Amino acid sequence: MALITEVAFHAQMRKRKIRGYVFYALCLTAVALGLLMLAALLYNVLSEGLSRLSWDFITNFPSRFPERAGIHAAILGSIYVVSIAGVVAFSLGVGAAIYLEEYAKKGTFASFIQLNIANLAGVPSIVYGILGLEIFVRIMELGKSVIAGGLTLALLVLPIVIIASQEAIRAVPPSLKEGGFALGATKWQVVRRLVLPYAFPGILTGAILAVSRAVGETAPLIVMGALTFVPFAPDGPMSRFTVLPIQIFNWVSRPQEGFHVAAAAGIIVLLVVLLTMNAFAVFLRHKFQKGTQW
Amino acid sequence: MLSQYSLGTNSRKGLNGDYMVTTENNLIIETKNVSVFYGDTPAVSDISLGIEREKITALIGPSGCGKTTLLRSFNRMNDLIPIARTSGEILFEGHNIYAENVDPTEIRYRIGMVFQRPNPFPKSIYDNIAFGPRINGFRGNMDELVEKSLIGAALWDEVKDRLRTSGLELSGGQQQRLCIARTLAVEPTVILMDEPCSALDPIATLAIEELMRDLSKQYSIVIVTHNMQQAARVSDYTAFITADERRIGELVEYDDTRQIFTNPADERTEAYITGRFG
Amino acid sequence: MSQIGVGRIKFGSGLDGVSSMDQDKQVLGLPQRMFGLRWKRNLLEAFIKYGLFLCAILSIFTTAGIISVLLFEAIQFFQEVSIFEFLGSTKWTPLFSSKHFGIWPLVTGTLLTSVGAMLVALPLGLLSAIYLSEYAPRRVRATLKPILEVLAGIPTVVYGYFALLFVTPILRSISDNIMVFNGLSAAIVMGIMILPMVSSLSEDAMQSVPRSLREGAYALGATKLEVATKIVVPAALSGIVAAFILSMSRAIGETMIVAIAAGQNPNFTFNPFVPIETMTAYIVQVSMGDTPTGTIEFKTIFTVGLSLFVMTLIMNLLSQYFVKRFREVYE
């Protein structure tokens, strides 16, 4: 062979093989490091906080004394705020997705809206807090209330709902819609009775993703005025409030060891809530995917 | 010089008994009872044939009968598919390439492959051709090698003053010749071609066929083709492969191309080339 | 069409009950007979379409809202503080009695932690992506990807806890020079947080590279490493660059990890061992304090917010440019 001699090739091949093994090992190390960090985080949180979990912890209010601190106010606040955010984001988001996929003419205006949504998805969450502070709290005079917080979070997770719902609606086969139109159905009838049921698993997944995101958000709510020390339960949509992540933040920021333990326990509660929601999402998705042949 | 191999339940035995082994190595590739499985399903079964040196051998047959699978087993490309498994032996220059300690990477540049759809890398023409030699440790004059390969692929005149432009900007026929040049650059002894003209127009096809005849003076070529006229035009030897009802490919007949197309021995071969099926 | 429906009822009902076409119509909620309902139906359709349209343009209003809110307050701010001080000074002390309004300490704080995070996430994320895309068998990939998703779904306040109460003590046991609040700990943990994003987006880009390119390289005798690094990654490069830029944008906008672990000390420094303050952490600091609305200190929230918004907007647009370039090659 004019190219290289046999001997040279084998030496080269050995080097190339060794490089291959080294690289493979490097890749595995990278993956392992990521997994290791996750394991370390979970282990740390569980070992610190598991013992602190108790029924008292869930029903107590925050206190100056670490042993007596509880997450009751935070849990209630989270439930209220996230519910409002979820309902608002879901209805507006699915509506927007339906419009963009089924009604809008593909042109510059539709692409402009799409560009907007893509950019909004990338805006830092704290900026939404600033927006909420100015619009909902001050201009609309809702105060630093549960409803202002809910609306702020709704705006934050809206792009998630829209993008996921759009993908789900886009996946509906055109033949299904054509069949409906051929029977004389109107646009809305086709959408409501054919498209949405088919796209439902994907839309639901998007909704749960959005709610999961909302549950974990801290910065935007702090900026629009959620409290970090709330020794009472929110008593209505106009009430001041705190949420679970903010409570954790508050406890982590205190110097006393006892509060750090409380923070770990709070994190466990938060992670359990998120895990349950995501497991529920997976379960629902499986359940509905079987039933698209109706 | 004729070696006749045909196996399978209804086929004719060869002249010197049912299996002929030549020891004087005018065969560059020999397959011995080769079967390829995807999982548990066989795609081709018990194929034994020999590819003559510096000749063009065509594999013809209806689609989906395993011709491409067989071709890909020659350079162990089937290894890239996790569930694929090959049994039997394939000798290249007398050595079994499926032996225990053989690394597929070592044989692949020596048995080059040109694919059905041209697949130039998204790099410049120069870098496309230089890729193979570079990774295989070439330390000589790369410019010369690139020029030599492009001349060998009948593409030099058309691209000599735009070597740094992207390979993707060439026409379909030019891209396929670029892929051939790329293969020539690593100086293989065998070139496998999997329906190389099926994505090209008739003029580009003729250019490639002419190139093939030129190349066969130096390289052994095995071509899979759907186009019987092409096989008749271009090849020295033709193997007819078809599948039975169980969709398992088998070698029905393998002979001098003239024989196959004027006086086939097996009725299945005759049925195929007269267009009665496939 | 409805005439046909009516006709079928006449013929079909005597023989086999409800015909299949009528069953379909029942699903759609169509009445079997249509008399005089057209104008009502059209009104409803128009109403619905308009309602959905409003939902869609809400996104435009949100963007407009963000920009106008930030600009409005920022303009007022710059009527009191000169823009030259804002962009020129390296001291940021709006909450002290002697006020300086140079943005640079916050910017360096943000960049220190974000670039640090990218130094962690880029190599680890890219190597993970190459492993998942080119090496991992299907089953391994199917189990690993959800686990990486879990990493991405953990709330950032949890990462902040991890940074302050786990990583920082470990770092401090290695070196005495590391303070309790420092940029390094936050950068490392932020890197882990954005690793799944880098990995997942890069892997998507690599998976889009057609198989035929890989086969062409294998046929020339390339090893798996060579195929991955000399063919796949270069072919997917635009997509990978887009992934990097987007992830860095995410790191810049991140708040809680730095608010908890990096400190509240606007310090114009590149030293990762000392407390610093990022733009996001500063906004949190002021919001939690007693700053009265309408004061210049309050307005700093909006100016810093505007700077943050502009930075991430530029990066997001840049990333979209690279995605477009990537799609052009493969579509």
Side-chain angles (χ1 to χ4, degrees):
Chain A
M1 311 210 104
L3 192 61
I4 45 181
T5 64
E6 288 295 320
V7 174
F9 177 70
H10 274 111
Q12 185 80 5
M13 196 67 228
R14 219 187 5 249
K15 244 199 294 177
R16 288 160 73 194
K17 270 203 200 165
I18 292 176
R19 259 186 247 148
Y21 289 138
V22 168
F23 185 73
Y24 183 58
L26 235 80
C27 285
L28 281 181
T29 317
V31 175
L33 268 176
L35 296 177
L36 201 70
M37 288 302 221
L38 177 64
L41 192 153
L42 290 176
Y43 176 72
N44 184 281
V45 166
L46 283 172
S47 62
E48 288 288 320
L50 207 53
S51 51
R52 182 71 174 78
L53 277 183
S54 67
W55 192 243
D56 279 343
F57 183 67
I58 299 182
T59 52
N60 279 353
F61 288 107
S63 129
R64 281 185 303 121
F65 303 102
E67 323 77 53
R68 284 200 245 149
I71 51 174
H72 191 60
I75 287 195
L76 286 180
S78 280
I79 294 177
Y80 290 157
V81 170
V82 171
S83 308
I84 294 177
V87 165
V88 172
F90 184 76
S91 32
L92 295 181
V94 175
I98 295 174
Y99 180 80
L100 287 169
E101 287 299 313
E102 296 293 328
Y103 285 86
K105 280 179 262 306
K106 307 288 172 196
T108 33
F109 187 60
S111 344
F112 179 62
I113 299 184
Q114 288 288 168
L115 185 69
N116 247 294
I117 294 173
N119 275 319
L120 284 176
V123 169
S125 56
I126 199 169
V127 174
Y128 282 99
I130 300 178
L131 178 70
L133 174 67
E134 189 81 340
I135 304 272
F136 298 130
V137 173
R138 292 177 54 191
I139 292 180
M140 288 174 66
E141 290 185 12
L142 295 172
K144 300 181 180 179
S145 58
V146 165
I147 189 148
L151 291 176
T152 305
L153 282 188
L155 283 186
L156 173 67
V157 303
L158 198 57
I160 301 178
V161 177
I162 297 181
I163 292 175
S165 305
Q166 270 189 286
E167 256 179 62
I169 293 174
R170 215 175 291 153
V172 175
S175 51
L176 189 68
K177 294 186 278 188
E178 279 164 7
F181 286 125
L183 286 169
T186 65
K187 188 92 183 190
W188 174 244
Q189 282 167 330
V190 166
V191 165
R192 176 163 162 240
R193 292 172 187 268
L194 294 175
V195 173
L196 286 183
Y198 189 98
F200 190 62
I203 293 179
L204 195 63
T205 308
I208 297 189
L209 245 113
V211 170
S212 303
R213 177 83 191 271
V215 167
E217 279 298 332
T218 324
L221 294 176
I222 295 181
V223 170
M224 57 69 49
L227 296 170
T228 57
F229 184 78
V230 176
F232 58 84
D235 54 3
M238 300 305 278
S239 159
R240 300 209 61 179
F241 68 101
T242 191
V243 291
L244 193 49
I246 294 182
Q247 184 66 79
I248 296 171
F249 169 61
N250 176 272
W251 282 335
V252 167
S253 313
R254 306 260 195 111
Q256 294 101 317
E257 173 73 29
F259 282 121
H260 296 171
V261 174
I267 289 176
I268 296 178
V269 174
L270 183 60
L271 290 179
V272 164
V273 167
L274 285 173
L275 196 68
T276 322
M277 271 198 292
N278 280 302
F280 188 56
V282 172
F283 162 73
L284 276 179
R285 198 159 25 147
H286 275 232
K287 179 162 181 277
F288 280 110
Q289 256 170 3
K290 290 191 192 126
T292 44
Q293 301 298 330
W294 44 270
Chain B
M1 219 179 306
L2 186 60
S3 345
Q4 285 184 340
Y5 299 72
S6 42
L7 294 176
T9 48
N10 302 325
S11 42
R12 188 177 70 166
K13 308 278 189 203
L15 284 179
N16 300 345
D18 55 1
Y19 185 68
M20 204 156 89
V21 179
T22 56
T23 47
E24 55 236 357
N25 258 339
N26 57 338
L27 295 175
I28 185 89
I29 291 182
E30 274 183 80
T31 73
K32 297 191 178 174
N33 308 99
V34 166
S35 306
V36 181
F37 300 85
Y38 290 120
D40 293 322
T41 343
V44 293
S45 177
D46 208 25
I47 309 259
S48 298
L49 52 74
I51 307 289
E52 299 272 342
R53 251 177 224 284
E54 286 167 25
K55 295 275 188 248
I56 301 181
T57 306
L59 306 180
I60 62 171
S63 356
C65 291
K67 308 188 295 299
T68 300
T69 307
L70 180 64
L71 190 77
R72 287 170 62 109
S73 69
F74 290 164
N75 64 349
R76 294 192 66 167
M77 284 297 275
N78 286 330
D79 285 20
L80 296 176
I81 301 170
I83 52 170
R85 198 170 46 90
T86 312
S87 71
E89 286 187 343
I90 298 187
L91 305 183
F92 172 60
E93 305 262 17
H95 304 289
N96 180 14
I97 61 175
Y98 279 92
E100 269 298 307
N101 53 343
V102 174
D103 181 359
T105 320
E106 292 187 31
I107 56 151
R108 282 193 192 126
Y109 76 93
R110 301 173 200 210
I111 305 178
M113 184 170 247
V114 176
F115 297 83
Q116 196 168 345
R117 304 193 69 82
N119 56 355
F121 303 132
K123 297 177 189 279
S124 69
I125 294 174
Y126 189 95
D127 286 330
N128 256 282
I129 299 180
F131 179 78
R134 276 191 191 130
I135 56 168
N136 283 305
F138 179 69
R139 295 212 199 294
N141 187 328
M142 190 65 81
D143 289 351
E144 264 178 36
L145 181 58
V146 169
E147 180 174 341
K148 188 171 128 197
S149 312
L150 283 169
I151 292 176
L155 190 58
W156 173 249
D157 285 326
E158 290 168 60
V159 302
K160 63 182 177 220
D161 35 8
R162 43 176 174 142
L163 290 178
R164 304 286 171 180
T165 61
S166 168
L168 297 174
E169 288 170 24
L170 299 173
S171 73
Q174 288 172 324
Q175 284 188 8
Q176 194 64 303
R177 276 179 283 152
L178 175 61
C179 293
I180 293 176
R182 189 171 73 181
T183 310
L184 293 180
V186 292
E187 297 194 8
T189 30
V190 178
I191 302 179
L192 306 175
M193 297 192 172
D194 186 2
E195 301 192 44
C197 303
S198 61
L200 305 178
D201 61 77
I203 299 186
T205 300
L206 277 178
I208 302 261
E209 286 180 13
E210 212 181 290
L211 179 59
M212 266 195 260
R213 272 191 287 278
D214 255 340
L215 290 174
S216 67
K217 296 185 189 129
Q218 271 186 283
Y219 307 91
S220 314
I221 298 185
V222 184
I223 168 172
V224 163
T225 181
H226 264 142
N227 184 338
M228 279 187 290
Q229 291 81 7
Q230 182 175 77
R233 279 195 295 268
V234 152
S235 66
D236 302 302
Y237 298 102
T238 300
F240 174 59
I241 294 173
T242 189
D244 54 13
E245 327 75 51
R246 292 167 301 154
R247 311 252 75 216
I248 301 174
E250 52 171 341
L251 175 64
V252 170
E253 192 170 340
Y254 177 48
D255 210 329
D256 208 64
T257 296
R258 272 234 335 338
Q259 260 314 92
I260 294 271
F261 282 98
T262 54
N263 191 15
D266 191 294
E267 59 182 4
R268 286 177 290 176
T269 318
E270 186 177 351
Y272 180 69
I273 58 178
T274 53
R276 270 189 275 136
F277 82 93
Chain C
M1 268 302 181
S2 32
Q3 294 290 25
I4 299 176
V6 168
R8 283 189 111 196
I9 292 175
K10 281 207 185 113
F11 294 132
S13 56
L15 297 163
D16 56 353
V18 183
S19 68
S20 68
M21 199 174 184
D22 296 328
Q23 283 173 328
D24 292 337
K25 282 195 157 190
Q26 276 174 14
V27 168
L28 286 166
L30 294 170
Q32 312 303 44
R33 288 167 199 271
M34 307 273 274
F35 299 117
L37 293 172
R38 181 157 298 127
W39 71 271
K40 252 205 228 168
R41 209 166 56 148
N42 287 345
L43 193 65
L44 182 67
E45 289 288 313
F47 193 67
I48 289 176
K49 180 172 177 181
Y50 188 61
L52 296 177
F53 173 71
L54 288 180
C55 293
I57 59 170
L58 180 61
S59 61
I60 301 184
F61 284 131
T62 311
T63 310
I66 293 177
I67 296 178
S68 42
V69 163
L70 292 175
L71 274 180
F72 179 68
E73 299 282 350
I75 288 174
Q76 291 192 347
F77 174 86
F78 284 120
Q79 283 165 351
E80 287 187 46
V81 176
S82 101
I83 195 162
F84 294 112
E85 183 184 352
F86 189 70
L87 294 176
S89 161
T90 59
K91 283 179 84 167
W92 178 262
T93 57
L95 304 171
F96 293 175
S97 45
S98 126
K99 298 181 191 307
H100 296 271
F101 292 99
I103 189 76
W104 290 108
L106 295 182
V107 172
T108 53
T110 303
L111 286 180
L112 188 66
T113 47
S114 308
V115 171
M118 289 311 279
L119 287 177
V120 169
L122 240 73
L124 292 184
L126 190 56
L127 286 175
S128 305
I130 294 178
Y131 173 73
L132 286 172
S133 172
E134 306 297 314
Y135 284 88
R138 220 174 338 127
R139 239 174 299 167
V140 171
R141 195 160 166 260
T143 27
L144 273 184
K145 285 200 71 161
I147 297 182
L148 282 179
E149 297 291 311
V150 170
L151 260 182
I154 295 180
T156 51
V157 69
V158 177
Y159 279 113
Y161 169 95
F162 186 60
L164 184 69
L165 298 178
F166 185 82
V167 176
T168 300
I170 292 181
L171 290 178
R172 296 193 79 200
S173 68
I174 296 177
S175 161
D176 275 337
N177 291 330
I178 301 182
M179 318 289 296
V180 172
F181 294 111
N182 61 82
L184 182 64
S185 178
I188 294 175
V189 173
M190 232 204 292
I192 304 288
M193 182 197 78
I194 53 175
L195 190 158
M197 195 172 171
V198 175
S199 172
S200 169
L201 291 177
S202 304
E203 192 211 332
D204 283 345
M206 286 190 257
Q207 285 286 306
S208 304
V209 175
R211 205 159 154 253
S212 56
L213 283 182
R214 293 183 177 84
E215 292 206 323
Y218 279 122
L220 287 167
T223 61
K224 200 168 232 179
L225 160 64
E226 285 154 0
V227 171
T229 51
K230 296 189 195 217
I231 300 290
V232 178
V233 167
L237 198 60
S238 291
I240 294 178
V241 168
F244 287 174
I245 297 178
L246 207 64
S247 308
M248 173 111 178
S249 167
R250 177 85 178 78
I252 287 178
E254 167 50 35
T255 312
M256 295 321 290
I257 300 180
V258 283
I260 293 176
Q264 293 193 334
N265 210 334
N267 202 345
F268 183 73
T269 176
F270 289 108
N271 182 350
F273 294 164
V274 299
I276 45 159
E277 191 169 44
T278 64
M279 294 155 81
T280 48
Y282 171 75
I283 297 175
V284 165
Q285 181 192 18
V286 178
S287 308
M288 289 203 323
D290 301 322
T291 322
T293 59
T295 60
I296 195 74
E297 297 82 9
F298 184 73
K299 293 199 216 285
T300 55
I301 294 180
F302 298 89
T303 20
V304 175
L306 181 64
S307 318
L308 185 70
F309 179 72
V310 167
M311 274 174 89
T312 52
L313 185 68
I314 293 178
M315 300 194 83
N316 291 344
L317 290 177
L318 205 62
S319 153
Q320 280 170 16
Y321 163 73
F322 277 104
V323 169
K324 235 174 73 167
R325 256 183 56 168
F326 180 66
R327 287 223 184 100
E328 271 162 24
V329 182
Y330 292 116
E331 255 155 43

